[in-house]
């Protein structure tokens, strides 16, 4: 099967184009700086993955921004840190600032010359990286 046989390429944004792990760790810094124990990057990401998947299981239709706010609250509880709901919400909105991988924009610009690009996302702004003239955005029901 040749790539040239396709007219449309569809892919997920977070983890493929957006470095969501670095984005999460950076956005969690206000919380992790308050934790008394030393947390490694893997500790943070594993705890986040647990709380995110658990929250998604119980509230599958929750918007991703709102889900992340709950994850922040659960992480704070696990690590014994008091936080405000405003801090939780700020973390939820931080997804907008999570960085693209260094080669994402250049690669997309190249691919857009040859294919219609479609992103799959559960966020409201998941297609922003495609820019104008993109093929489309397919959002999950929780976007």
């Amino acid at each position: 099967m040749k790539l040239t046989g396709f007219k449309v390429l569809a892919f997920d944004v977070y983890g493929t184009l957006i470095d969501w792990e670095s984005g999460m760790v950076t956005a969690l810094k206000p919380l992790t700086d308050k934790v008394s124990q030393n947390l490694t990057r893997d500790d943070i990401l594993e705890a986040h993955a647990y709380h995110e998947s658990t929250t998604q299981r119980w509230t599958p239709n929750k918007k991703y921004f709102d889900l992340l706010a709950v994850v922040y609250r659960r992480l704070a509880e696990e690590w014994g840190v008091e936080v405000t709901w405003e801090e939780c919400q700020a973390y939820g909105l931080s997804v907008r600032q999570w960085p693209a991988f260094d080669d994402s924009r250049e690669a997309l610009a190249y691919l857009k010359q040859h294919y219609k690009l479609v992103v799959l996302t559960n966020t409201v702004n998941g297609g922003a990286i495609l820019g104008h003239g993109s093929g489309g955005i397919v959002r999950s029901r929780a976007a």
Side-chain angles (χ1 to χ4, degrees), residues 1 19 32 35 43 47 49 54 84 98 119-120 126 129 138:
M1 182 177 306
D19 183 359
T32 58
V35 177
D43 293 335
T54 302
T84 65
W98 294 358
V119 297
L120 310 171
I129 194 168
V138 177

Side-chain angles (χ1 to χ4, degrees), residues 34-141:
K34 297 177 188 176
V35 177
S36 60
Q37 70 214 49
N38 286 332
L39 296 170
T40 66
R41 179 182 171 96
D42 284 345
D43 293 335
I44 295 165
L45 293 172
E46 287 173 17
H48 193 286
Y50 171 78
H51 291 294
E52 183 175 340
S53 65
T54 302
T55 304
Q56 284 177 324
R57 189 174 322 117
W58 291 105
T59 55
N61 294 322
K62 188 177 282 294
K63 293 184 187 298
Y64 195 60
F65 300 128
D66 296 332
L67 179 129
L68 288 176
V70 173
V71 168
Y72 194 90
R73 169 78 74 202
R74 299 287 180 260
L75 289 169
E77 291 168 353
E78 178 179 335
W79 296 328
V81 176
E82 289 198 26
V83 294
T84 65
W85 183 241
E86 289 74 25
E87 290 172 290
C88 299
Q89 290 175 314
Y91 176 66
L93 295 174
S94 75
V95 70
R96 297 175 178 161
Q97 283 81 44
W98 294 358
F101 287 107
D102 292 339
D103 62 348
S104 292
R105 292 195 190 281
E106 184 179 324
L108 288 173
Y110 173 78
L111 291 171
K112 282 171 70 171
Q113 296 173 30
H114 306 283
Y115 304 98
K116 184 175 183 178
L117 303 179
V118 176
V119 297
L120 310 171
T121 185
N122 64 345
T123 66
V124 173
N125 67 328
I129 194 168
L130 288 180
H132 299 292
S134 64
I137 301 169
V138 177
R139 290 188 177 90
S140 76
R141 63 181 176 211

